[in-house]
Amino acid sequence: DIESPANGWRPRPHQIPLWQHFKGADGRTFDGTAKRAIEIAHRRWGKDDVALHLSGQASLARKGTYWHMLPEYEQARKAIWTAVNPHTGIRRIDEAFPPAWRANTDDRGMFIRFKWGSTWQVIGSDNYRSLVGTPPVGIVASEWAKAHPAAWAYLAPILVENKGWLLAITTPEGRNHAATM
């Protein structure tokens, strides 16, 4: 039995529209109809928190490869992979993807294989050319305004081919590719 979202997590009131965009009409099942979204919100809004739980839901609904991408690989390690929620004292990835869900976890590669066959990995857009040829069906682009803008040009055709989705989350950073997206 899999409790999803994990650990009794529920979106906060201001997060519900984004959650429901991906969850479909019933607000419960990840139905895969939403393909793109961008959330530009202030710091501490909970963008990564929502995105992690959405990725968990998506991985259950459709077997595939899922990425959580930050502008830099090392930033991704600090902000997502090793980060501890100051309110609960639990690592962010353990809250969203409990160890009971996992077949294996590769700390060095920041990679999780779930028992149902999906995978989830933390990556950086700083080396976006190395991502070509991989088959993600879901990508969270965190801190998108600070990411390399060419990453989307490389990744968009992959998502189109795989009928996948992108959730870009960011704080405002002036006039840039996130503002025009």
Side-chain angles (χ1 to χ4, degrees):
D1 291 331
I2 296 176
E3 176 194 7
S4 184
N7 297 310
W9 184 89
R10 297 290 176 259
R12 293 182 270 169
H14 62 275
Q15 299 167 331
I16 290 173
L18 176 62
W19 182 258
Q20 289 180 333
H21 175 72
F22 282 99
K23 296 297 287 183
D26 67 1
R28 298 181 64 221
T29 15
F30 193 99
D31 65 10
T33 56
K35 298 298 181 196
R36 307 285 181 272
I38 184 165
E39 183 66 54
I40 300 175
H42 60 80
R43 299 247 174 257
R44 310 310 311 156
W45 187 91
K47 298 177 292 293
D48 283 306
D49 197 33
V50 171
L52 287 166
H53 287 281
L54 277 170
S55 293
Q57 295 274 294
S59 78
L60 283 163
R62 179 180 179 193
K63 189 184 295 188
T65 298
Y66 297 88
W67 290 343
H68 200 101
M69 178 176 70
L70 272 87
E72 297 177 5
Y73 186 76
E74 283 307 312
Q75 175 189 21
R77 180 172 296 283
K78 293 172 192 165
I80 301 300
W81 190 258
T82 61
V84 173
N85 181 334
H87 304 291
T88 64
I90 302 170
R91 276 178 51 181
R92 296 178 86 174
I93 61 166
D94 293 338
E95 285 183 326
F97 316 123
W101 286 19
R102 304 178 199 176
N104 68 302
T105 303
D106 174 4
D107 189 59
R108 189 169 178 267
M110 295 189 289
F111 174 90
I112 295 171
R113 180 175 310 282
F114 297 112
K115 291 179 178 177
W116 47 90
S118 291
T119 64
W120 179 86
Q121 188 168 18
V122 182
I123 62 170
S125 70
D126 51 343
N127 193 10
Y128 63 89
R129 287 185 179 97
S130 71
L131 304 174
V132 176
T134 53
V137 296
I139 301 173
V140 172
S142 183
E143 295 293 350
W144 179 240
K146 295 179 181 180
H148 198 296
W152 177 236
Y154 274 78
L155 299 173
I158 298 168
L159 290 178
V160 169
E161 174 72 23
N162 295 336
K163 297 177 178 58
W165 54 267
L166 171 84
L167 169 56
I169 54 178
T170 193
T171 52
E173 293 287 332
R175 293 282 196 212
N176 57 31
H177 61 283
T180 58
M181 185 182 233

